[in-house]
Amino acid sequence: MKEESIKDFSVSSRTILSRIASGDDSAFRECVERYGSLVWSVAKRLTTNPNDAEDAVQEIFLEIWQKAGKWDPTRAAESTFITMIARRKLIDRFRKSSRSLETTSMGPEHDVEVSASSNLIEILDESEKAHQCLGRLGETHREVIRRTIHLGHSHSHIARQLGLPVGTVKTYARRSLLQLRNCMEQHARIRGTS
């Protein structure tokens, strides 16, 4: 009995993605149960109809199953890794559908649809790059930026929350924004040369 509870603890203490990577079938089912609503909400938001969303969700979970071994828990949380895979897969789907729309354009109203789709792809691309750049920041720098930009907190409020001097929070915010800008500019230069 004691050996059984130790085994249960070791399975439950391992992450879902590491269990998928090791070939644990029950982990994949657990992944779908735990992250299905997250993946579905991302797919629904970034697809044009429910059928496309369903197809995308299936493709995303297949990709998660194939890439689970690439997840590094020191770089991102499980949910972040799964969201990243979902966004990338959806960007790929948009690109493919945009190409097919461009080759079968039937008139001006169709061109507007292609243009809107292309703009969405660019926005998703920029969002993915910004997410990658944020991932390169240290944990405290990232938290200061998150609380400043996403939550709209003041520097003094963040200082109280994190137990840091206000000047330190301001320095973290300024340095983090400079690093993000440099990172995004690098991405733009790379994109310009490709």
Side-chain angles (χ1 to χ4, degrees), residues 102-138:
E102 287 168 2
T103 59
T104 59
S105 181
M106 295 188 245
E109 69 282 351
H110 213 69
D111 291 340
V112 169
E113 200 175 300
V114 170
S115 174
S117 179
S118 296
N119 288 340
L120 183 56
I121 291 169
E122 287 177 25
I123 290 168
L124 287 170
D125 236 359
E126 287 298 308
S127 173
E128 180 62 33
K129 288 172 189 164
H131 184 74
Q132 288 173 358
C133 289
L134 265 173
R136 293 179 184 170
L137 296 176

Side-chain angles (χ1 to χ4, degrees), residues 12-133:
S12 65
S13 66
R14 291 177 53 211
T15 63
I16 293 174
L17 290 174
S18 65
R19 288 171 46 216
I20 291 172
S22 68
D24 181 347
D25 290 337
S26 66
F28 186 74
R29 284 190 298 280
E30 193 178 325
C31 182
V32 172
E33 287 171 13
R34 182 177 296 172
Y35 296 112
S37 60
L38 170 68
V39 171
W40 177 252
S41 69
V42 172
K44 210 166 121 179
R45 206 172 338 125
L46 301 175
T47 53
T48 54
N49 65 56
N51 290 337
D52 283 346
E54 284 180 28
D55 291 344
V57 167
Q58 289 178 5
E59 290 175 18
I60 290 164
F61 275 108
L62 177 63
E63 190 115 346
I64 290 167
W65 178 64
Q66 293 170 337
K67 295 191 173 177
K70 294 184 178 186
W71 175 61
D72 179 357
T74 63
R75 299 201 67 205
E78 251 183 1
S79 59
T80 304
F81 183 79
I82 288 169
T83 304
M84 182 183 67
I85 287 177
R87 282 199 314 241
R88 285 183 181 162
K89 194 68 178 167
L90 289 162
I91 289 169
D92 289 346
R93 284 177 63 87
F94 272 119
R95 285 182 178 150
K96 286 177 187 172
S97 68
S98 292
R99 277 189 228 120
S100 67
L101 284 173
E102 287 168 2
T103 59
T104 59
S105 181
M106 295 188 245
E109 69 282 351
H110 213 69
D111 291 340
V112 169
E113 200 175 300
V114 170
S115 174
S117 179
S118 296
N119 288 340
L120 183 56
I121 291 169
E122 287 177 25
I123 290 168
L124 287 170
D125 236 359
E126 287 298 308
S127 173
E128 180 62 33
K129 288 172 189 164
H131 184 74
Q132 288 173 358
C133 289

